[in-house]
Amino acid sequence: MNTADLRLPVDVPSTALFTDHYELTMLQAALRSGSASRRSVFEVFTRRLPTGRRYGVVTGTGRVLDAVENFRFEDDVLEFLRDQRIVDEPTVAWLADYRFRGDIWGYPEGEVYFPGSPLLRVEGSFAEAVLLETVILSILNHDSAVAAAASRMGVAAGERPLIEMGARRTHELAAVAASRAAYVGGFSSTSDLAAGFRYGIPTVGTSAHAFTLLHDSERDAFTAQVASLGRGTTLLVDTYDVAEAVRLAVEIAGPELGAVRIDSGDLLLVAHRVRQQLDDLGAENTRIVVTSDLDEYAIASLAAAPVDAYGVGTQLVTGSGQPTCSMVYKLVARAESDAPDAPLVPVAKKSLGGKTSIGGRKWAARRKDEHGVAEAEVLGTGEVPPELADDLLLVELVRDGRVVGREPLDAARDRHVEARGNLPLSAMQLSRGEPVLPTEYL
């Protein structure tokens, strides 16, 4: 199911206060100085990938588009700004009519990225573009971190499906965003109904240990679940004794039992024992689902186990130890004057300690070898070399304030599979390493 075109509302009336105080004080000062209307170019990028990661995954683009559309200052928000004296009255009046009317280009959602990649380019007046910094970064940093973890888990899982089940391990709204990001990164379903409703992600779930404990016996619990959900259900078999639970499960549901779930213990050992027992009981087609605080390394360690699917929660929604991508939103070019046709000049702060930036409005391309495998991320500010013209990465997302780049979520999911597949094989290694592609500047 594709719900991308349903235009479901955001969770709050406006995204305008998903910002930092100093965005508005900069706006006020720029309005007073007369520089607020100066044409400006901001870019989102990261100076480095999280430690040991070989590639990043651009995720959250669709949510950014929703946030930009809903970034408006309603009457109660304006009253708050006025009452708290955050900005002066002329600035409040300017904000009352705020709509982003500029242009946005970016890497398409699901694409991979590397240090320096201009993931998003926001162009407009300084006033309208600077206000979007915090909300854009909060979305992209969170969603891309989850998607990167999901992608690594997908590599480890191979063809076995992954179930996102981390809603109870994070903020309730972050859980929905994490579910979406995990789906882009390769997960096939979620336990979170809000994510299913909002984004059309398939939802799954049967029962927890509480359901078994509710009943006088495990037999009663299994009998009730099968009676309600059918023989194809998944029975949780590690509440008491696993071997006895598996025996009961097949006795009650028969060989048509859909799956058993194991949520504790030595998963490698227990999975082998359960598979043997199921086969001996004639339930050769009953699948084994494992959960229990998995990450990509635990999933990889189960590659040789007779496991059919993995359920992942905490480690996924927290980025498997890397909960942010350290993306920044920097002014890289601005017009020489307030004239509409004034040429752009590159700008960048001079900084030590690894916080350097490169000025100029950039293009990005991915150079490939003769086999079609990516070999470098190439960035530049001048003319695009003819040999790279067909490999440009940025696509148009917003034109004159109107979203033109919205797409179904499945398109981003499919794109990620393709983009990851075009990387060198070393990108699939889970061991710590440098980015799999170098970044070159022309």
Side-chain angles (χ1 to χ4, degrees), residues 410-426:
D410 281 334
R413 176 182 167 86
D414 293 342
R415 180 180 295 113
H416 178 61
V417 173
E418 180 180 2
R420 191 177 63 192
N422 289 332
L423 295 177
L425 284 176
S426 57

Side-chain angles (χ1 to χ4, degrees), residues 85-340:
R85 298 185 179 181
I86 293 170
V87 291
D88 59 19
E89 195 59 38
T91 305
V92 170
W94 188 91
L95 291 172
D97 295 324
Y98 178 86
R99 297 290 186 276
F100 179 75
R101 296 180 174 86
D103 303 325
I104 300 177
W105 288 68
Y107 278 39
E109 191 159 20
E111 184 58 83
V112 296
Y113 71 87
F114 300 92
S117 299
L119 308 180
L120 204 71
R121 187 174 70 219
V122 181
E123 303 186 34
S125 71
F126 176 83
E128 63 182 338
V130 74
L131 293 183
L132 299 177
E133 175 180 6
T134 302
V135 69
I136 286 176
L137 288 179
S138 65
I139 292 172
L140 293 181
N141 269 313
H142 172 268
D143 290 19
S144 297
V146 173
S151 180
R152 286 164 60 84
M153 293 172 187
V155 168
E159 297 300 316
R160 298 170 177 176
L162 291 158
I163 307 163
E164 185 280 312
M165 46 197 305
R168 63 191 62 189
R169 300 294 187 239
T170 188
H171 184 280
E172 65 271 20
L173 298 183
V176 182
S179 222
R180 181 186 184 279
Y183 188 70
V184 172
F187 276 59
S188 58
S189 58
T190 179
S191 66
D192 193 306
L193 290 178
F197 172 76
R198 180 169 297 281
Y199 298 117
I201 301 170
T203 62
V204 296
T206 50
S207 68
H209 294 101
F211 185 77
T212 300
L213 296 170
L214 168 69
H215 292 80
D216 294 336
S217 69
E218 198 165 43
R219 176 183 293 275
D220 290 345
F222 286 178
T223 299
Q225 183 174 327
V226 171
S228 175
L229 301 179
R231 297 177 185 273
T233 191
T234 298
L235 294 175
L236 181 58
V237 295
D238 73 328
T239 305
Y240 303 117
D241 179 82
V242 173
E244 176 60 16
V246 171
R247 188 193 67 76
L248 274 174
V250 177
E251 176 188 329
I252 293 166
E256 299 86 4
L257 175 63
V260 295
R261 178 163 75 94
I262 307 166
D263 188 51
S264 60
D266 183 336
L267 296 179
L268 179 62
L269 176 63
V270 175
H272 277 287
R273 289 178 174 173
V274 168
R275 181 73 272 159
Q276 183 63 54
Q277 186 180 7
L278 287 170
D279 292 347
D280 290 346
L281 293 170
E284 294 91 349
N285 295 322
T286 298
R287 297 173 297 112
I288 297 175
V289 180
V290 296
T291 51
S292 187
D293 206 25
L294 299 175
D295 62 10
E296 61 265 48
Y297 302 105
I299 292 170
S301 73
L302 294 168
V307 171
D308 297 285
Y310 306 92
V312 190
T314 303
Q315 293 301 319
L316 175 63
V317 300
T318 57
S320 193
Q322 303 289 350
T324 181
C325 300
S326 298
M327 295 176 186
V328 295
Y329 184 96
K330 296 299 181 183
L331 182 67
V332 297
R334 50 90 174 164
E336 287 185 342
S337 69
D338 295 336

